Structures are given as C-alpha cells and as structure tokens.
Amino acid sequence: MDALSALFAGFETALTPINLLWALIGVTLGTLVGVLPGIGPALTVALLLPVTAKLPPVSAFIMFAGIYYGGMFGGSTTSILLNTPGESSSIITALEGNKMARRGRAAAALATAAIGSFVAGTIGTALLTFAAPAIADIAVQIPPSAKFALIMLAFVTISATFGGSPLRGLISLFLGLAVGLVGTDLQSGQARFTLGRPELLDGIDFITVVIGLFAVGETLYVASRLRKDKASVIKLEGNASMNREDWRRSWKPWLRGTALGFPFGAIPAGGAEIPTFLSYTLEKRLTRHPEEFGKGAIEGVAGPEAANNASAAGVLVPLLTLGLPTSATAAILLAAFQQYGLQPGPLLFVTNADLVWGLIASLYIGNVMLLALNLPLAPVWARLLLIPRPFLYAGILVFSTVGVYSLNNSVFDLFLLALFGVIGYGMRRFDFPVTPAIIGVILGPTAESQFRTALQQSNGDFSIFARQPLTAFILVVVALALIVPPILRARAARRAIA
C-alpha cells in the first residue's frame, strides 16, 4: 500500500499542466529521434543536458523519461520501413518487420510493435513501481565494500555485453575510468593527470565527454560512411492497424516478451539485446506458423519489441535503487542526476520522493501518449525517414558545440569536445563500444569513493573485501566473469581445430 500511495502522490506531481507539457515534449522528441536512424534516446538526452540545467529536476526527468520510452517506440519504425536498426536490440525487429513490410503488411508490423511496446512498458512500469521500493529498503543496508563490488560487477558485465569483444569493452571501460580520474583528489588535494593545465584541476565535465563521444563521434562516423545512394524506404499506406488474426497471434508473444525483458533489464548484466534474441528464439519454437519465420512472421516482431520495452523499464530498477546504469541511456540519466547534485540510490526514495514517484508516474502517462502518437500518426513519422542525413547531423554538430560552450563559456571545453569527438569516431571505426567508456567516466569516481570508505571503516584492512559475505560473493562472481569466458572460448577453438 505504501507504494500505491506514493504512486498516487507521484501522479499529483506528474499531472500538473506544466509537467504534462514536458511529458508530451519528451515523448514527441523520443519518437522523433527513435525514427531518425543513428540518433537514439541516449544521444538526445546527452545533447539536452546543457539546455535543461536550469529546469526544475522533476520536469527535466519527466521529459527525459518520455524521450527514453519514446525512442523505443520510434526505433521500430526505422527497423520496419528502412531495415536499419538504430540499436542492436532492434535487429530482430528489422529482420522480421521489414520482411512483413515488403509483403505489404507494414501497417500490421508497426501496430503490433506499438501496442506491444505499450503493453510491455505498462507492465514493466507496474513491476518497477513495486520492485524499486523493496530493493531500496534492502540496498540501504548494503555496506560500502559491497557497493564497490556491485560497481565492479557492473563494469565487467557491461564491458562484456556491449560490443563484439569483451577485451574491447574492457579497454573502453579503462579509458572512461582514466578520464574520470582527471582533476584534484578531494582527499589528498593532489592534482591527477592534469598535464599542468589549470582548466583540468576541477576535472573534465562529464557532459563534454558524453556529448563528444556520443554526438560528435556519431556525426563524424556517419559523415565518413555517407553515400550518395538513398536507402529504400517502404511506403506506408494508411494508419498502423491489425486485424483479428494479428491480435490472436500477437498477445501471447507480448506477454512472453515482457516476462523475458524486465528481469534482464533489472540485473547489472542487463540490457535489451539478450532478451530480444531469446524472445525471438522462443516464439520461433512455439509458433504454429514456422514457415513464416525469416519471411515476415508477426510473432517475430511482437515478442522482441515487447522484450525491448520491458527491459527499458527494468533498467530503471538498478539505476534508481543502486545508482547502477546498465544501458547507454541509463548512463546518461545518471549523469543528469549528478548534474542536479543528486545521487541515485536507496536514499533517493527518502530525500527526493517527489522526484522519484513523479518520474515513475510519468512513465504510465507517457505510455498512453506514445500509443496515441504512434498508431494514428505512423504515416507522419514514416515521412521523417526522408530527411537528408547531412542536414540532420550538421544540426547535431552545431547544437553540440553551442551546448558545451554554454556550460562554462570556455574555448578549452570546445577543444576537449573535439578531442573526445575524434576518440568517439575512432572507437566506432574500430568497433570499440562507447557505453563502457561513458559508464567508466560516471561511475569511476563513485567506485573510488566506496573503496576508500570501506578501507577507512576497516582501518586500512583489505581483508574487509573477503570477510564481508556479500562483498566476497560478488567479487567471486566478478572473477569468474573475467576468467571463465576466455577459457570456454579457448576450448571451443581447440575443438574446432580438432
């Protein structure tokens, strides 16, 4: 009942006219950037961080939540009509949805994606409503040593999950950790990695790093691969709609996808890639129409899209209760919390209950808004795919530059922006994932703080990390996650040679 009463108080916050306006702006922007290939919610929230610095925190996060959910809805349009998945979690949607569109069933594919996203998002938000406070109550009792171990677990699993190579993921993570160490050590007062530059004594602003790696890096990468030939966009006739047979074949995959997506999003090794592939495999085994898979099966769109959106709700559980981001957008949201001087974690539900519950309530409202925006206006969103990409990315580059300069009115910040933009381009060019670097920048100082606090409480005794049962268990899992996969790959390689 406490969660329900808190949720009703959150609706009082979210249903004010100004916050409803910010929710509408957020879901509209989210759908827009989800439709436009290569942008996505993470890049959009990163670009808006300098602009929203003066907004009230509740309004800003209601808008960010709308962008987050809206990006999931809009991403299916690009995958289905253009066969271009904006994120790895949309690969399956592109595989089956585009085949449906080529068979003249684009309207049904878009409808099952939108309604499945609504169903999964609503159920996922309901699970978030009741799971988050319970986890927060437990998380209050977690000692600093275990918090450090949890961050280590997040580092390792995210580095292994994102990108095709765990080694590349770890290299990206260490780059982010190194950037996070730049500045003055708050305990000793010593300057670290400042290269004698006074501008670096306060550290590198994480907004500059995020916008450089995400926005500028993506712009340079797209520009380097741009070709004059235009992608083939399938024309959508009429609104997104489904017939009775489509409903009959979609509702069970929606529920199964939700059941798979939320738990994977909620664990530190989460994300949407694994549950979407699992959902597709499960639907392929359970379907009564196996001959349609690979040729445009509606179950192959309904299940993975539901898993994708349910995992988006699940990702907010470790972010709000433990301060651990498990996706790129969650990492940017964590940076947004820090921009307002807030630290996500169990105490956030006590010190900023109006913000947390207003944010959760806005997710329900945003889901309804998104359904109303995506079903009748699907042809409008489809036309956005015709916008010339050079114009689009030139605008992003200008917006990035103005936003970073407005932070401190510093030319040195623009130099750092260009530097991280080039690094971001190189990471994409050589297949290094960007997300571990961002998480390293944001969570690195927190990990260092928890590590030092644990040692201070034990008077410098490192055995605290072995004596505390929860800490020891998590660190053993971290060690196994680092050691076991390379051994298994080596054995598989030897068998292949044999």
Side-chain angles (χ1 to χ4, degrees):
M1 292 299 294
D2 290 340
L4 283 177
S5 59
L7 180 63
F8 290 140
F11 273 111
E12 291 180 6
T13 301
L15 288 173
T16 59
I18 186 65
N19 285 336
L20 282 175
L21 176 62
W22 285 117
L24 181 61
I25 291 172
V27 296
T28 306
L29 268 177
T31 306
L32 173 67
V33 300
V35 169
L36 296 172
I39 300 183
L43 191 153
T44 306
V45 174
L47 287 174
L48 290 174
L49 287 179
V51 181
T52 56
K54 304 297 182 183
L55 276 180
V58 176
S59 299
F61 279 99
I62 285 175
M63 182 178 68
F64 290 155
I67 293 172
Y68 183 36
Y69 267 26
M72 300 295 173
F73 271 73
S76 60
T77 303
T78 309
S79 300
I80 291 167
L81 298 182
L82 193 62
N83 198 24
T84 304
E87 297 183 2
S88 55
S89 57
S90 299
I91 291 174
I92 297 299
T93 305
L95 177 66
E96 293 292 340
N98 188 255
K99 296 283 176 45
M100 286 184 67
R102 293 186 184 280
R103 289 168 46 196
R105 306 203 63 225
L110 289 171
T112 193
I115 298 171
S117 297
F118 170 77
V119 170
T122 302
I123 296 174
T125 305
L127 293 172
L128 168 68
T129 302
F130 295 100
I135 295 174
D137 291 340
I138 298 172
V140 173
Q141 306 170 23
I142 297 178
S145 60
K147 291 180 181 177
F148 169 76
L150 277 172
I151 296 175
M152 291 298 103
L153 179 61
F155 282 161
V156 171
T157 53
I158 289 169
S159 299
T161 303
F162 287 88
S165 164
L167 179 59
R168 286 190 174 96
L170 288 172
I171 292 173
S172 174
L173 172 68
F174 286 127
L175 171 65
L177 291 173
V179 172
L181 289 174
V182 173
T184 304
D185 182 3
L186 295 179
Q187 289 195 3
S188 67
Q190 292 292 318
R192 301 188 296 191
F193 307 114
T194 59
L195 305 177
R197 300 287 306 191
E199 297 92 341
L200 295 176
L201 288 174
D202 290 331
I204 299 175
D205 197 312
F206 57 81
I207 296 178
T208 304
V209 180
V210 166
I211 293 178
L213 290 178
F214 266 108
V216 179
E218 179 70 16
T219 300
L220 295 176
Y221 182 70
V222 169
S224 70
R225 302 174 70 87
L226 205 59
R227 298 293 181 265
K228 292 184 179 180
D229 55 309
K230 295 183 179 179
S232 174
V233 180
I234 298 172
K235 190 175 181 181
L236 176 63
E237 301 289 347
N239 298 333
S241 59
M242 299 166 61
N243 57 35
R244 182 177 296 181
E245 176 67 11
D246 293 332
W247 280 93
R248 187 186 66 79
R249 293 177 57 181
S250 294
W251 72 271
K252 288 182 181 178
W254 291 338
L255 297 180
R256 286 191 289 260
T258 303
L260 283 171
F262 185 84
F264 272 93
I267 59 177
E273 294 81 6
I274 296 174
T276 53
F277 280 93
L278 286 177
S279 174
Y280 181 76
T281 304
L282 180 62
E283 297 308 324
K284 195 172 181 179
R285 289 183 177 179
L286 297 179
T287 185
R288 295 179 180 177
H289 307 275
E291 72 282 354
E292 291 188 17
F293 272 78
K295 300 176 183 177
I298 194 168
E299 296 92 341
V301 178
E305 273 299 303
N308 189 15
N309 281 267
S311 71
V315 159
L316 295 177
V317 174
L319 176 66
L320 294 176
T321 59
L322 300 172
L324 295 178
T326 59
S327 72
T329 309
I332 308 301
L333 289 175
L334 178 59
F337 275 108
Q338 294 178 353
Q339 175 179 267
Y340 286 101
L342 303 171
Q343 180 58 46
L347 295 180
L348 193 68
F349 285 79
V350 178
T351 59
N352 294 92
D354 57 336
L355 169 61
V356 174
W357 290 106
L359 170 64
I360 293 174
S362 74
L363 296 176
Y364 291 98
I365 298 168
N367 258 320
V368 176
M369 289 181 174
L370 282 164
L371 193 65
L373 279 173
N374 278 268
L375 286 181
L377 298 179
V380 177
W381 300 118
R383 290 193 190 100
L384 293 175
L385 294 172
L386 302 176
I387 295 176
R389 297 180 80 182
F391 297 162
L392 183 65
Y393 284 95
I396 291 173
L397 195 58
V398 171
F399 198 81
S400 303
T401 305
V402 172
V404 168
Y405 184 76
S406 67
L407 291 172
N408 303 304
N409 296 328
S410 169
V411 176
F412 187 75
D413 284 350
L414 294 181
F415 168 76
L416 291 176
L417 177 69
L419 174 63
F420 284 109
V422 172
I423 293 173
Y425 164 76
M427 293 176 74
R428 287 169 173 82
R429 171 65 180 79
F430 297 103
D431 197 26
F432 284 84
V434 176
T435 301
I438 297 296
I439 289 177
V441 171
I442 297 172
L443 276 186
T446 305
E448 181 186 15
S449 173
Q450 297 294 344
F451 180 76
R452 285 181 163 180
T453 302
L455 287 180
Q456 287 171 349
Q457 291 180 351
S458 65
N459 294 320
D461 184 3
F462 281 90
S463 66
I464 185 66
F465 296 102
R467 286 188 286 108
Q468 211 286 325
L470 179 60
T471 306
F473 173 75
I474 298 172
L475 289 178
V476 168
V477 173
V478 171
L480 291 175
L482 285 172
I483 296 170
V484 173
I487 294 174
L488 294 178
R489 282 195 296 272
R491 284 185 177 180
R494 281 199 297 269
R495 288 175 184 173
I497 294 172

